[in-house]
Structures are given as structure tokens and as C-alpha cells.
Amino acid sequence: MTGARTAVDGGTATDGRHRISKPASTIGPWLPEGALGESLAAGLAEVEKALGTAVDSEHPFVREAAGHLMAAGGKRFRPMLALLAAQLGDPTSPDVVRAAVVCELTHLATLYHDDVMDEALVRRGAPSANSRWGNSIAILTGDLLFARASDILADLGPEAVRVQARTYERLVTGQLRETVGPQDGEDPVAHYLEVLADKTGSLVATSARFGASFAGVDEPLVAALTAFGEEVGVAFQISDDLLDIVSADGTSGKSPGTDLREGVATLPALFALADDDPADARLRELVARPIAADDEHAEALALLRSSDALGRATAVLGEYADRAQERLAAVPAGDVRDALSALCDFVVTRSR
């Protein structure tokens, strides 16, 4: 797909073979306006074009499978954070876009694998790859995207390869720990938050790190932005979990209460299960297992929405967002710090 022209309109882009959601429109109202916003939009257009090239293949089916989730859209949260961090140095460095593409390809690859493990039927409003083509195709497609990310990464130097390898190790470790669950004597809430840090926070942190480092930002500031990325990445995932409960219209990208139906114990459910208040016995009974019946599902959602467990989970979200804000003390005052601060605020308020 090298040399394909990308046209961007109010909501979609086309690269000649795929229709691609315009990522800047889906991330949220925290996005800056003015010169910074224009620079980020230009960078995202480059990222989108490079992603189209990365999922291309001379084989039509491979091209279709590899581009399936990319064409379905997404927030492009990780490349956006890389581009924003790069604004503190030289954002025009071509390695910034390459690094942002590596992070997004890695994220997309994990989604193919996650959907197989979760037996998901839908991803980003479209049929998941595993439901469309089967588990084997989905797994192999995820592997292909990891390979394409590694190929780009090789041009960024051995240190970048090492950082990515350690990030990938954390992603897999988090998935393994989530799959086996907390061990005897391990606090389920602490286990859950550690899993989020590995599965989500690590790659968001690397996105910020890559964007800053390849833009030539000084190492102390790179370290602060990396720490910011991890905190805000965990916060973003917690807010997604809360949206699954409080959203009445599927704002989270899936039907409200999907985690409850599937028996996925997210933070509010874990707090509910840890509570011993007799008044919440019915809620504990419901969230302890997958919920198939529609009436029980509605009952569980209503109980969770009015529970102390939801309030406790919201408080934890606020703690992560506050810690992310504290990391910004190292960032020079200006539009970039204001945008990163607005991101923290958005992560908290989007689930209210």
C-alpha cells in the first residue's frame, strides 16, 4: 500500500482499500485546538497512512484479516499520546510516527488474541475476527501484526527493541495472571490493578516514552511522561469498566453490562464481592457468576449503580488520575501540559 493516498473527511479516511475511522474524532473533548491540535491531526494522518501500509499484503485475504480491526476504527489513544509527548521535543522526527505505529500495531494484535480468549463476538461494533473467520485465523492475524510491528521497530534501534520486548513481556504476564486469577492469599483487588498496569498501563507508558524519546526530549522528562502514561492508562481502563455499568447507551463500545453477562469481575464487582454487608447479599450473589437471564442482568446493573462498590471503584479511578496529574509537574507549562491535564480530567468525567 506504499504511496496510497489517504483522504480524510469529517469522520472517515480511505486508503484505497479500507475505510478508516478518523481517530481524532473519537478520543474525546480533551483534544487541543489551535496550532497544537493541527499538528496532532497532521501526525495522526501520517500514522493512519502508515498503519494502512503496515497491514497491507499481496494476498487479498491476509490484507482483509490484518486490516479488519484497523478499519473498524478505534480511539488511537496510544499513537495520540506518543504524538503529544513528542511535542515537547522535535515532533517532526520521522521516528516519532514509526514508534506510534509500532504501539498501535501491538495494541491491535493483542485485541485479536484477547477476542479469542474471551470468545468475543463483537469488537468496535463489527464482528470480531474470531467470530468471522475462526480462532486460528484470529490468532495468526495477531501474530502477523506483531511481526509487522517488530519489522518497523528494527529501524528504531536496539534500545527501542529492548523497551518493546519488556513491554510485551508485561502484556503477556498481565494476560497470564488475569487468566489464572488471584492465587491463594492474594488480594483480588490488588491483583486486578496489577493486571491492569501490565495489560494496559505498560503499552500506554511505552507510547508516551517512545514519542518523547524519539523527539529528543531529555531523559528526566521522558521518565515523567512514561510514569504519566502508566497511571493514565490504568485510569482509562478503570473508566471503561465503570462505563460498562453506568452507560445506558453503550458509550463504552459494547452493550451495558457486558462484563456482568460474561462473569468478568471488574473493579466494582470485586469491591461488591469483598463487602460483607448483609444488605448487599443479593448483589454479591449476582456478580459472583455470569448472568444469562435478562431480569437478573437488569437487577444486577441496578444494584451496582446504586452500590458503595461503584463509589469505591470511582474513588480508585480518581486516585490514578490524580497521580497522573502529579507527574505533570515535571512538564513545562504550556499547551502540551494543559492537554495532558485535560486528558486526566476526561478519563474521570467520561464515566459519570
Side-chain angles (χ1 to χ4, degrees):
M1 198 174 297
T2 303
R5 184 169 67 91
T6 301
V8 179
D9 58 29
T12 60
T14 62
D15 59 14
R17 292 192 179 103
H18 305 292
R19 286 184 63 79
I20 306 164
S21 293
K22 182 180 177 183
S25 66
T26 64
I27 295 175
W30 64 275
L31 278 171
E33 298 180 350
L36 177 57
E38 292 172 2
S39 179
L40 292 174
L44 275 176
E46 290 186 54
V47 168
E48 208 69 23
K49 182 177 180 180
L51 283 171
T53 300
V55 301
D56 196 13
S57 173
E58 62 184 297
H59 307 291
F61 178 75
V62 174
R63 181 192 314 133
E64 182 181 7
H68 178 65
L69 286 184
M70 192 195 78
K75 303 178 185 70
R76 303 292 191 261
F77 178 51
R78 290 152 191 83
M80 172 60 77
L81 186 57
L83 295 173
L84 187 53
Q87 294 288 329
L88 294 166
D90 177 13
T92 65
S93 168
D95 285 347
V96 170
V97 169
R98 294 189 187 107
V101 170
V102 166
C103 292
E104 185 65 7
L105 284 174
T106 302
H107 173 58
L108 288 170
T110 65
L111 297 184
Y112 282 88
H113 289 178
D114 282 352
D115 285 347
V116 171
M117 288 181 283
D118 297 341
E119 300 180 351
L121 299 178
V122 175
R123 168 71 70 174
R124 295 176 173 176
S128 61
N130 51 295
S131 68
R132 184 172 178 182
W133 295 300
N135 287 344
S136 295
I137 296 298
I139 292 169
L140 291 169
T141 303
D143 292 344
L144 175 66
L145 294 186
F146 280 127
R148 296 285 174 86
S150 298
D151 187 47
I152 298 170
L153 191 67
D155 292 329
L156 297 177
E159 180 59 24
V161 172
R162 182 177 294 108
V163 170
Q164 175 73 352
R166 290 173 178 172
T167 302
Y168 189 42
E169 179 184 1
R170 289 189 64 190
L171 290 170
V172 175
T173 298
Q175 186 62 64
L176 281 168
R177 293 187 67 202
E178 181 181 63
T179 301
V180 302
Q183 301 302 289
D184 290 342
E186 188 176 11
D187 176 29
V189 171
H191 172 270
Y192 175 80
L193 294 174
E194 290 167 6
V195 165
L196 290 194
D198 283 339
K199 279 193 61 179
T200 303
S202 63
L203 186 56
V204 177
T206 295
S207 301
R209 177 174 181 170
F210 275 172
S213 60
F214 286 113
V217 173
D218 291 341
E219 183 54 38
L221 184 49
V222 172
L225 289 165
T226 303
F228 168 86
E230 178 133 350
E231 303 282 13
V232 83
V234 174
F236 207 91
Q237 185 58 57
I238 294 173
S239 71
D240 265 359
D241 294 345
L242 296 179
L243 274 173
D244 187 56
I245 295 169
V246 303
S247 170
D249 56 2
T251 304
S252 63
K254 53 188 178 182
S255 300
T258 296
D259 292 329
L260 287 174
R261 283 198 185 279
E262 297 175 352
V264 177
T266 57
L267 192 57
L270 289 173
F271 277 131
L273 289 169
D275 188 11
D276 58 2
D277 188 339
D280 294 324
R282 176 57 175 166
L283 175 58
R284 290 194 295 275
E285 176 188 347
L286 289 169
V287 301
R289 54 177 170 78
I291 304 174
D294 289 342
D295 57 342
E296 288 191 336
H297 180 260
E299 181 185 6
L301 267 181
L303 289 172
L304 259 183
R305 286 169 178 167
S306 61
S307 69
D308 290 339
L310 182 63
R312 293 177 67 187
T314 302
V316 173
L317 165 62
E319 291 170 6
Y320 274 93
D322 287 346
R323 287 201 294 269
Q325 290 276 18
E326 291 169 4
R327 303 290 188 181
L328 297 180
V331 178
D335 290 345
V336 174
R337 188 168 77 178
D338 290 345
L340 292 169
S341 178
L343 169 58
C344 293
D345 293 337
F346 171 69
V347 168
V348 172
T349 58
R350 69 194 283 260
S351 58
R352 290 180 178 171

